[in-house]
């Protein structure tokens, strides 16, 4: 297998390019922007696309009417656009119903939303499940509006159509699946949700190139909440194959990696992710019933072991859900760093194994087998230490991840050490 470093080199720039390409599109939980986004993802991956008609029942939810935007603006009496959807799609509240009216500032004001702490930023607002309309603008734009009257146009359609999602199964030797899910319903924001899409695409391509996949990998690109609930309701039969999972989001911003555990908290994905993320000075947190689609996957009725990987999570960075979550906020190096961590987590889930030390009566003589530096006296290298840890704990029931959890050595190094020691007949693999 190619090393993690090979797989990540060049990936940061590719992922940032993909984020840049998807950034201008106005996405929502339904509509043409979602389809355009899936078209772009589909240029990179052989996706299976699904359209679910409005009105479809999915557990406690119903697929809403489809929303599309032709135009939206607030103009002065001379027709000059003061707030313009075509300049930034965050200017229009998501799922706004159509409006065509002349209004004073006093009439318009209840429909205007600004960001209190940052007068230059446009906030992100939606009204999916309550029919309403509104504009988001910077405080500076609001201060400069004047008293009106204004021409207010929201040229949208909200009518029966469908919800779009896509998935990709990358088959492995076994039917056990690892689910990777990214939401695709946010308009022009780079970290929330384009970073998750870009990392998923790059990861799927890396997995498709591999010849030695043991696990099967299922990628899901769906609108938040309603999309994952619809997908879960349509996949009841296949759900038992899902043995591990991760929601991928917010992977391009600054700040350390953050892993959010599954509801159970001690599944293999939790152990692998906690090991990798803490070795990279990231943060590991317990499950909570708030956040992204991990809420749906972990719900009692499904009980899927799906954690969440991000960098600084939603709500904890000021740019979150604003126009400042832009192409400068997300950086190629941060995307690449996240992908590297993700590949290491998947390696630990896929390749955890138990070995038995075949030379357990004292330390075997590694030097004789050319596994130990011939010059004594120097401190042991990481490579040697990984072999010593593997030999010390491989009693036929302790796995490499168990050893990695002690925190002294990376799983990747333990795996390499185990392979070398097995090649030297010092270890044998135990099939459990
Ligand atoms: Zn969001």
């Amino acid at each position: 297998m190619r090393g993690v470093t090979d797989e990540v080199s060049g990936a940061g720039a590719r992922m940032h390019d993909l984020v840049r390409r998807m950034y201008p599109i106005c996405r929502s939980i339904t509509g043409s922007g979602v389809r355009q986004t899936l078209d772009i993802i589909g240029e990179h991956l052989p996706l299976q696309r699904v359209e679910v008609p409005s009105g479809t029942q999915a557990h406690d939810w119903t697929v809403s009417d489809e929303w599309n935007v032709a135009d939206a603006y607030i103009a002065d009496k001379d027709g000059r656009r003061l707030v313009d959807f075509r300049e930034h799609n965050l200017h229009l509240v998501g799922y706004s119903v159509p409006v065509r009216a002349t209004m004073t500032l006093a009439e318009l004001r209840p429909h205007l939303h600004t960001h209190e702490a940052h007068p230059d930023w446009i906030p992100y607002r939606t009204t999916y499940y309550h029919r309403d309309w509104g504009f988001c603008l910077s405080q500076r734009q609001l201060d400069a509006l004047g008293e009106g009257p204004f021409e207010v146009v929201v040229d949208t359609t909200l009518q029966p159509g469908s919800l779009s999602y896509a998935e990709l199964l990358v088959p492995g030797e076994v039917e056990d699946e690892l689910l990777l899910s990214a939401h695709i319903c946010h308009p022009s924001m780079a970290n929330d949700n384009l970073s998750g899409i870009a990392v998923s695409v790059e990861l799927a391509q890396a997995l498709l190139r591999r010849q030695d996949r043991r696990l099967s990998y299922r990628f899901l690109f769906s609108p938040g909440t309603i999309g994952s609930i619809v997908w879960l309701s349509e996949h009841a039969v296949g759900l038992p194959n899902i043995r591990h999972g991760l929601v991928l989001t917010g992977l391009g911003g600054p700040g350390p990696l953050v892993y959010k555990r599954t509801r159970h908290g001690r599944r293999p994905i939790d152990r692998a992710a906690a090991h990798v993320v803490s070795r990279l000075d990231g943060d590991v947190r317990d499950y909570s019933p708030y956040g992204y689609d991990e809420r749906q996957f972990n719900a009692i009725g499904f009980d899927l072991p799906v954690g969440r990987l991000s960098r600084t999570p939603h709500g904890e960075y000021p740019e979150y859900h604003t126009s400042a979550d832009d192409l400068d906020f997300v950086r190629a190096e941060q995307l690449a760093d996240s992908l590297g961590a993700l590949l290491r987590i998947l390696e630990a889930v896929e390749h955890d194994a138990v070995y038995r030390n075949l030379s357990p009566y004292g330390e075997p003589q590694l030097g004789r087998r050319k596994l130990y530096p011939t010059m004594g006296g120097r401190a042991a290298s990481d490579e040697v230490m990984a072999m010593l840890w593997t030999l010390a704990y491989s009693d036929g029931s302790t796995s490499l991840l168990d050893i990695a959890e002690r925190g002294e050595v990376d799983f990747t190094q333990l795996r390499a050490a185990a392979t070398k020691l097995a090649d030297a007949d010092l270890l044998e693999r135990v099939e459990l």
Side-chain angles (χ1 to χ4, degrees):
M1 185 194 297
R2 288 144 52 97
V4 164
T5 329
D6 297 332
E7 288 183 327
V8 174
S9 71
R14 282 196 299 277
M15 289 188 282
H16 199 271
D17 285 348
L18 186 57
V19 169
R20 182 182 303 280
R21 196 159 159 224
M22 296 184 289
Y23 181 77
I25 300 170
C26 178
R27 277 164 295 266
S28 185
I29 52 173
T30 62
S32 61
V34 180
R35 284 186 204 103
Q36 254 176 283
T37 303
L38 294 176
D39 288 345
I40 294 173
I41 301 170
E43 291 172 18
H44 302 270
L45 300 174
L47 290 182
Q48 241 192 303
R49 302 270 296 259
V50 181
E51 296 286 332
V52 182
S54 304
T56 303
Q57 287 289 316
H59 297 290
D60 200 39
W61 295 64
T62 308
V63 174
S64 48
D65 280 348
E66 184 178 324
W67 184 67
N68 284 292
V69 189
D71 199 4
Y73 59 88
I74 301 169
D76 65 15
K77 61 180 181 349
D78 301 319
R80 269 195 311 236
R81 292 186 177 207
L82 306 170
V83 180
D84 188 357
F85 168 79
R86 290 177 179 173
E87 254 172 37
H88 205 303
N89 59 37
L90 286 185
H91 277 315
L92 182 63
V93 170
Y95 261 71
S96 282
V97 295
V99 176
R100 213 169 266 278
T102 305
M103 301 175 97
T104 63
L105 181 64
E107 290 166 320
L108 181 56
R109 188 65 188 84
H111 296 280
L112 301 181
H113 309 274
T114 58
H115 196 294
E116 280 159 21
H118 294 276
D120 290 314
W121 296 359
I122 310 164
Y124 169 52
R125 296 277 186 281
T126 61
T127 182
Y128 299 140
Y129 302 107
H130 167 69
R131 300 235 159 169
D132 198 357
W133 63 274
F135 283 89
C136 300
L137 63 167
S138 71
Q139 184 62 43
R140 288 193 207 289
Q141 276 176 302
L142 177 62
D143 294 343
L145 272 186
E147 293 304 312
F150 302 102
E151 185 199 359
V152 179
V153 172
V154 178
D155 184 4
T156 54
T157 53
L158 193 50
Q159 53 200 31
S162 59
L163 173 147
S164 319
Y165 73 81
E167 60 183 318
L168 167 69
L169 179 67
V170 181
E173 278 166 41
V174 295
E175 285 192 340
D176 290 357
E177 290 179 16
L178 194 155
L179 174 71
L180 296 142
S181 172
H183 62 289
I184 55 169
C185 51
H186 286 40
S188 291
M189 283 171 286
N191 196 38
D192 185 10
N193 51 191
L194 297 179
S195 66
I197 299 174
V199 170
S200 293
V201 167
E202 193 67 29
L203 173 67
Q205 289 182 316
L207 292 171
L208 283 164
R209 281 192 297 268
R210 286 187 188 173
Q211 304 300 319
D212 60 348
R213 294 183 302 266
R214 189 177 67 79
L215 289 174
S216 296
Y217 292 86
R218 186 179 293 275
F219 288 82
L220 175 62
F221 300 94
S222 72
T225 308
I226 181 71
S228 56
I229 291 173
V230 164
W231 180 84
L232 284 159
S233 78
E234 291 188 340
H235 287 68
V237 176
L239 293 185
N241 285 346
I242 296 176
R243 309 300 290 271
H244 322 278
L246 284 172
V247 165
L248 301 178
T249 179
L251 290 165
L257 284 160
V258 176
Y259 176 69
K260 175 180 170 180
R261 291 190 177 96
T262 68
R263 195 161 54 86
H264 285 270
R266 284 286 295 164
R267 303 297 199 118
I269 189 72
D270 296 310
R271 298 178 53 211
H275 165 65
V276 171
V277 168
S278 46
R279 293 279 295 173
L280 294 168
D281 295 326
D283 191 8
V284 178
R285 302 186 186 177
D286 283 337
Y287 183 77
S288 76
Y290 190 70
Y292 293 94
D293 284 330
E294 67 276 9
R295 287 142 55 201
Q296 315 313 334
F297 299 124
N298 280 276
I300 291 168
F302 306 118
D303 200 23
L304 297 177
V306 178
R308 187 187 76 205
L309 187 67
S310 66
R311 304 187 78 88
T312 305
H314 61 92
E316 296 179 27
Y317 53 98
E319 296 83 356
Y320 170 72
H321 278 188
T322 76
S323 55
D325 177 0
D326 61 13
L327 294 168
D328 294 326
F329 184 67
V330 163
R331 301 181 56 156
E333 310 84 77
Q334 286 150 193
L335 289 163
D337 183 62
S338 301
L339 176 66
L342 182 54
L343 284 163
R344 288 185 189 282
I345 293 168
L346 301 193
E347 180 191 23
V349 172
E350 176 147 352
H351 295 286
D352 190 24
V354 173
Y355 290 86
R356 180 179 292 111
N357 183 339
L358 298 176
S359 178
Y361 303 103
E363 201 173 273
Q365 212 182 352
L366 295 175
R368 179 154 60 80
R369 299 174 173 89
K370 304 205 166 20
L371 294 171
Y372 203 88
T374 46
M375 183 69 69
R378 285 183 298 192
S381 67
D382 287 354
E383 200 183 338
V384 167
M385 284 310 298
M387 284 191 275
L388 297 180
W389 279 101
T390 306
L391 287 167
Y393 280 91
S394 290
D395 54 4
S397 61
T398 305
S399 79
L400 295 180
L401 187 53
D402 293 332
I403 305 170
E405 277 186 322
R406 304 185 61 87
E408 309 287 339
V409 188
D410 279 336
F411 180 89
T412 304
Q413 287 172 331
L414 292 172
R415 185 182 162 214
T419 306
K420 251 185 238 167
L421 292 167
D423 288 347
D425 295 324
L426 290 171
L427 283 186
E428 73 175 354
R429 188 163 172 169
V430 178
E431 298 303 332
L432 296 176

